Amino acid sequence: MSTQELAIETRLNALPEVADEGDIGTQRCDNPYKKWYTLSGRKQNYHIPSWWNGTSYKDGPGGTITVEVLKSGKIGAEVSGSVSAEAGVLLAKAKTEFGAKVIGEVGISTGHKYSRDIKNGRYGNVQYGTWGEKYNWTKYETSANRCGKKKLGSGTTKMPTKKVGWRYWETRS
């Protein structure tokens, strides 16, 4: 995203939000018509699990759990929400606005071993994945009279980084 595009979106973000019928009247503004996204609620070091076989384990009660990635696969950006959103646009915004080191997809391959002692009477759980970032997103468009912005939808996106590893937690059952 260029500096000029970012400046336009910053100006448009400052516009008041209007309802669907909020542009009735004769007033016109000279803002450009545009659809854009905003990102908020950045959570860094957010674990995004790989859900393919061989990356999630539970053992116990007590003892030691030892796991190793024996397969390869990919973890990609996930986008969910009330309207469709373009993962590539959200990824570019995260990099531009926050300097995030997120990527569209990370590959995982063999050779990562992990071992952990489990407390007595507890179960150890491990899940392999990437330590990525999570954001809330909102999609807007300029209102019909160009004097406001209209919310089109919102959701969340999880974006991987190149940092991969095991997440560990314990449960009673």
Side-chain angles (χ1 to χ4, degrees), residues 14 33 44:
Y33 174 77
Q44 294 179 284

Side-chain angles (χ1 to χ4, degrees), residues 33-102:
Y33 174 77
K34 183 171 174 63
K35 288 184 181 179
W36 72 97
Y37 297 94
T38 60
L39 293 177
S40 63
R42 180 184 191 194
K43 290 184 183 177
Q44 294 179 284
N45 294 317
Y46 184 86
H47 193 261
I48 303 169
S50 60
W51 291 110
W52 30 276
N53 290 337
T55 60
S56 182
Y57 300 93
K58 180 176 182 176
D59 203 355
T64 301
I65 187 168
T66 301
V67 292
E68 184 175 8
V69 177
L70 299 173
K71 296 184 177 191
S72 62
K74 295 181 180 182
I75 301 172
E78 299 176 23
V79 178
S80 62
S82 58
V83 297
S84 65
E86 300 165 43
V89 174
L90 297 173
L91 188 69
K93 286 191 75 62
K95 288 181 177 188
T96 303
E97 290 184 22
F98 298 99
K101 303 268 188 240
V102 294

Side-chain angles (χ1 to χ4, degrees), residues 52 54-55 68-73 107-113 128 164 166:
W52 30 276
T55 60
E68 184 175 8
V69 177
L70 299 173
K71 296 184 177 191
S72 62
I108 296 172
S109 58
T110 61
H112 191 167
K113 194 171 188 176
Y128 202 73
V164 295
W166 296 99

Side-chain angles (χ1 to χ4, degrees), residues 143-157:
S143 62
N145 67 2
R146 306 294 196 320
C147 295
K149 63 184 179 187
K150 188 165 71 171
K151 182 177 173 179
L152 299 175
S154 61
T156 60
T157 182

